[in-house]
């Protein structure tokens, strides 16, 4: 399936973000947020299969064609949340839906819990609450993060002589993907350098988090969501293997559908994208 894609950019007060724009101008407003180390191409199979939506698929900060954050800045989840609100304000969208995958789903949930008056619907793919940490672990985790930041200057990104080598490496990365998915991500995510190609992503994205929310914090955001929520879980994805994750789902008033496929089931193949679309189309069309 092919669809017209418009490349757009948003000049925010602190950063410039790139995005793909899909759908009719009068469609239901939706901001789509990809996962960690991915880019807007994550939705290139799925977005054309969601008719009637005006989808802005962002390259989140530090990813794809978007700018990197300023020196001394970080990539915390709440920083992404602010970016989304500023993009929505530029679009004139007082209320909008969120379509999120993995890290993008987590950012979507935090936004819906924090500013429920702005979010109309949540459509999430293999992502929900953030990875958590308890108070006793906080000093150790902050120390690890600070040491990693100091060591980053001495590290270099890998350079691939051929694009296919980068695609093969991405297939084996965190959240392993199909060749089709890796090719789409690479097409938008690579840039030429001396000796070949490397990823556009900011190296700081690989640093460990200096602070994690506790489980109680994470669940509180879920409890604060007021809009309809539809969650697609991949049978071979990353959520179902998380300890105690099923406890989070128990008794929750939202739709959960388990589908065959891996963490990137919406991008790994056209067939996988269609199955996800078949879940979300009725959801977006609902009251």
């Amino acid at each position: 399936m092919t669809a017209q894609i418009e490349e757009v950019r948003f000049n925010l007060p602190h950063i410039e973000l790139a995005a793909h724009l899909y759908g009719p101008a009068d469609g239901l407003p939706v901001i789509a947020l990809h996962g960690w180390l991915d880019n807007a191409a994550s939705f290139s199979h799925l977005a054309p299969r969601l008719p009637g939506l005006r989808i802005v698929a962002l390259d989140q900060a530090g990813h794809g064609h978007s700018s990197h954050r300023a020196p001394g800045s970080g990539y915390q989840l709440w920083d992404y949340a602010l970016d989304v609100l500023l993009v929505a304000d530029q679009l004139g969208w007082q209320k909008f839906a969120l379509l999120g995958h993995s890290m993008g789903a987590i950012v979507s949930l935090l936004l819906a819990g924090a500013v429920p008056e702005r979010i109309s619907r949540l459509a999430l793919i293999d992502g929900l609450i953030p990875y958590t940490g308890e108070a006793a672990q906080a000093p150790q985790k902050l120390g690890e993060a600070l040491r990693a930041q100091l060591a980053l200057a001495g590290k270099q990104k890998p350079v691939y002589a051929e694009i296919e080598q980068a695609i093969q490496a991405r297939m084996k990365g965190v959240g392993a993907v199909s060749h089709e998915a890796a090719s789409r991500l690479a097409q938008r995510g690579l840039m030429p350098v001396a000796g070949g190609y490397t990823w556009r992503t900011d190296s700081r994205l690989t640093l460990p988090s200096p602070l994690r929310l506790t489980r109680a914090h994470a669940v509180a955001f879920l409890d604060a969501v007021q809009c309809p929520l539809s969650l697609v879980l991949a049978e071979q994805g990353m959520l179902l293997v998380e300890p105690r994750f099923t406890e989070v789902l128990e008794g929750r008033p939202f739709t959960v559908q388990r589908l065959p496929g891996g963490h990137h089931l919406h991008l790994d193949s056209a067939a996988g994208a269609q199955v996800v679309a078949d879940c979300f189309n009725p959801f977006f069309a609902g009251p």
Side-chain angles (χ1 to χ4, degrees), residues 45 170 177-186 264 267-269:
H45 266 321
R170 180 63 187 88
V177 299
S178 68
H179 190 277
E180 165 71 12
S183 298
R184 287 179 178 243
L185 294 173
H264 288 74
L267 181 62
D268 279 333
S269 68

Side-chain angles (χ1 to χ4, degrees), residues 118-204:
R118 299 292 302 271
I119 311 303
S120 62
R121 291 181 181 275
L122 284 181
L124 308 181
I125 304 168
D126 219 44
L128 186 64
I129 63 173
Y131 292 108
T132 59
E134 298 308 314
Q137 305 163 341
Q140 174 188 346
K141 292 298 184 183
L142 178 57
E144 291 172 355
L146 292 173
R147 295 183 189 99
Q149 288 182 47
L150 292 174
L152 186 63
K155 295 183 178 180
Q156 294 184 338
K157 291 182 182 179
V159 175
Y160 305 95
E162 303 290 340
I163 291 177
E164 181 60 28
Q165 294 175 356
I167 291 171
Q168 291 293 329
R170 180 63 187 88
M171 289 175 66
K172 302 171 185 175
V174 177
V177 299
S178 68
H179 190 277
E180 165 71 12
S183 298
R184 287 179 178 243
L185 294 173
Q187 184 177 9
R188 188 165 181 82
L190 290 176
M191 64 180 182
V193 293
Y197 302 87
T198 194
W199 297 99
R200 295 177 182 272
T201 47
D202 192 333
S203 297
R204 288 175 292 173

Side-chain angles (χ1 to χ4, degrees), residues 231-284:
L231 172 63
V232 164
L233 293 177
E235 292 285 4
Q236 291 78 47
M238 299 177 67
L239 279 191
L240 289 176
V241 299
E242 279 295 306
R244 300 177 60 194
F245 176 72
T246 54
E247 296 177 17
V248 176
L249 301 180
E250 292 177 0
R252 299 286 174 188
F254 53 79
T255 303
V256 179
Q257 299 183 73
R258 300 188 181 193
L259 300 179
H263 185 55
H264 288 74
L265 73 166
H266 65 298
L267 181 62
D268 279 333
S269 68
Q274 187 60 58
V275 175
V276 175
D278 290 343
C279 293
F280 285 156
N281 278 319
F283 173 71
F284 280 116

Side-chain angles (χ1 to χ4, degrees), residues 65-107:
H65 288 267
S66 286
S67 299
H68 297 181
R69 297 206 189 277
S73 301
Y75 288 92
Q76 304 309 313
L77 295 172
W78 35 88
D79 297 320
Y80 293 119
L82 177 61
D83 294 341
V84 173
L85 289 176
L86 290 171
V87 167
D89 286 349
Q90 281 203 9
L91 290 165
W93 292 355
Q94 181 57 33
K95 200 159 188 173
F96 54 96
L98 288 165
L99 169 62
H101 169 243
S102 193
M103 183 188 78
I106 295 169
V107 173

